[in-house]
Amino acid sequence: RCSTCWNRHSNQYRYNYGNEGVKIKDVIRTDDHFVYLEWDDGHVGQYAISAEGIYGNGEKSAPSPDHVKVTLRERLNLWPVEPGQDTATLAKAWKWDDLGPEGVRDMLLHFMQYGLAFIHDIPSDKGLREIVNNDIKCGPIWDTIFGVSSEVKALANASNEAYSNEYLEAHIDLPYYTQPPSVFYFYCKENNAQGGHSFWVDSFSILERLRITHPEYFEVLSTTKTTFHAFSPGLQDVFITGSYPSVELTDSGSVYRYRDLFFARDNYQFVREVPVDRRQLWWEAYRYLRRQFDDERQQLTQRLEGGTRVLFDYWRI
């Protein structure tokens, strides 16, 4: 990490690989985080061999506790078949006043493992950007076609199903985006109506069971592209379309994202591009999967009170 190789302020490598490179003259020493090399032009380079070395500043290693290293797609805890039987774990909640640095780490670890976390009693004067970027540090906030944030109320003759007072089935928004936002931050400002319950479903848990019980369904859902359009009358001057498999897999075959917004699917495009036998199998698989999502035993249900905020993994939940 000498000044010849690295910009100390940006922590970015500045060496041009297209130039004739200097050669290593000697390995001077190593420690837990770096190997120190002497080059034939006389300068000494410091190269990281650990996560602490990579994310440190070259002089002092940054702390990197194991539980902070957990990524959204590692060490996942899949929900049980009947999530309601384990509400104490899945619906674990944190009070705002208890969210110091350790509390934030514990809350985010729970979110990464289970896909959601509840926060109670956030002060009403706290702005969204301040909470997400400064307090729980999971920003930056993406501006979507609905803006930085979207206020949802029950409306008569709503132009979007989300704004009606009807039951809204399990779904994941913005499936037409190349990369939909992976974290959804939901704030219940007020809930004085009868009913008004919310529910969440772990798509990963259900999909992993589908992979075992109906491999042909899993295969067709993970390999057949379906087209989604943003065409709600409330979205003026907006036209976004994208075609992706409902179940997206890593190179090793692990599920990393699920897309499903049934009222934004372009079925006409699907009919034109997919052979009949493939369409028949896809619809058979999709109907079966939707029945799993709609089964109340597979859902975690809560009636949110005003002042409650929920953080959840929007590629999974």
Side-chain angles (χ1 to χ4, degrees):
R1 293 284 178 98
C2 66
S3 59
T4 303
C5 301
W6 291 85
N7 183 316
R8 296 175 62 84
H9 300 289
S10 67
N11 200 30
Q12 293 174 336
Y13 196 56
R14 60 172 19 144
Y15 180 73
N16 185 348
Y17 283 99
N19 295 337
E20 287 292 329
V22 293
K23 297 180 180 180
I24 297 174
K25 180 179 180 181
D26 193 15
V27 177
I28 299 175
R29 65 186 177 90
T30 62
D31 58 28
D32 290 341
H33 305 305
F34 298 97
V35 57
Y36 299 85
L37 305 174
E38 181 182 0
W39 299 85
D40 62 6
D41 67 351
H43 78 276
V44 175
Q46 176 180 309
Y47 288 81
I49 56 175
S50 72
E52 286 81 355
I54 292 172
Y55 298 110
N57 60 16
E59 296 177 353
K60 180 180 179 181
S61 298
S64 184
D66 285 344
H67 62 281
V68 179
K69 294 180 186 176
V70 179
T71 67
L72 288 175
R73 295 297 169 262
E74 295 175 346
R75 306 184 192 176
L76 296 180
N77 286 14
L78 299 179
W79 291 13
V81 175
E82 296 190 25
Q85 302 298 317
D86 195 18
T87 302
T89 298
L90 299 179
K92 186 176 180 180
W94 283 259
K95 289 188 176 181
W96 181 255
D97 290 341
D98 298 334
L99 279 182
E102 289 295 327
V104 169
R105 280 196 290 269
D106 290 342
M107 184 269 293
L108 290 178
L109 174 61
H110 185 275
F111 160 74
M112 291 175 181
Q113 290 178 322
Y114 292 97
L116 80 171
F118 294 79
I119 308 173
H120 293 317
D121 304 327
I122 296 180
S124 59
D125 60 348
K126 278 279 187 180
L128 179 65
R129 288 187 182 274
E130 180 184 3
I131 294 171
V132 174
N133 291 336
N134 300 335
D135 295 317
I136 62 176
K137 296 178 174 59
C138 61
I141 301 173
W142 286 18
D143 193 352
T144 73
I145 57 176
F146 299 103
V148 173
S149 62
S150 177
E151 185 170 348
V152 178
K153 295 181 178 180
L155 302 174
N157 301 318
S159 62
N160 188 307
E161 286 293 304
Y163 306 142
S164 73
N165 61 357
E166 300 295 328
Y167 171 81
L168 192 61
E169 296 179 7
H171 66 281
I172 294 179
D173 287 309
L174 306 175
Y176 28 76
Y177 271 39
T178 302
Q179 179 174 314
S182 60
V183 179
F184 192 92
Y185 191 74
F186 183 81
Y187 173 39
C188 179
K189 295 177 65 175
E190 185 178 359
N191 189 0
N192 295 325
Q194 285 188 328
H197 287 72
S198 300
F199 70 90
W200 296 266
V201 181
D202 184 3
S203 69
F204 285 14
S205 177
I206 294 173
L207 287 168
E208 288 303 331
R209 294 199 294 273
L210 184 73
R211 190 202 298 260
I212 296 171
T213 61
H214 294 77
E216 72 283 7
Y217 288 175
F218 186 90
E219 188 276 335
V220 74
L221 291 170
S222 61
T223 57
T224 305
K225 290 183 178 180
T226 56
T227 300
F228 297 94
H229 282 167
F231 48 61
S232 171
L235 298 174
Q236 297 181 2
D237 302 321
V238 170
F239 181 84
I240 302 178
T241 185
S243 297
Y244 312 93
S246 296
V247 181
E248 295 183 90
L249 307 177
T250 65
D251 290 341
S252 62
S254 298
V255 178
Y256 77 90
R257 181 162 54 211
Y258 180 67
R259 298 176 188 258
D260 190 356
L261 186 59
F262 46 89
F263 49 78
R265 183 181 300 106
D266 187 339
N267 292 331
Y268 174 64
Q269 191 78 11
F270 184 54
V271 167
R272 288 196 303 168
E273 295 185 351
V274 180
V276 173
D277 58 342
R278 194 72 174 169
R279 291 204 305 266
Q280 290 175 336
L281 179 59
W282 189 93
W283 279 111
E284 181 182 327
Y286 182 67
R287 285 196 299 268
Y288 178 86
L289 187 61
R290 288 300 316 187
R291 288 198 294 270
Q292 311 312 304
F293 293 154
D294 295 335
D295 185 343
E296 293 183 359
R297 295 172 299 177
Q298 307 267 24
Q299 301 170 357
L300 175 69
T301 302
Q302 297 276 295
R303 188 183 190 281
L304 300 181
E305 302 297 333
T308 300
R309 308 192 184 206
V310 188
L311 192 71
F312 56 99
D313 182 341
Y314 221 37
W315 290 2
R316 170 184 177 185
I317 303 299

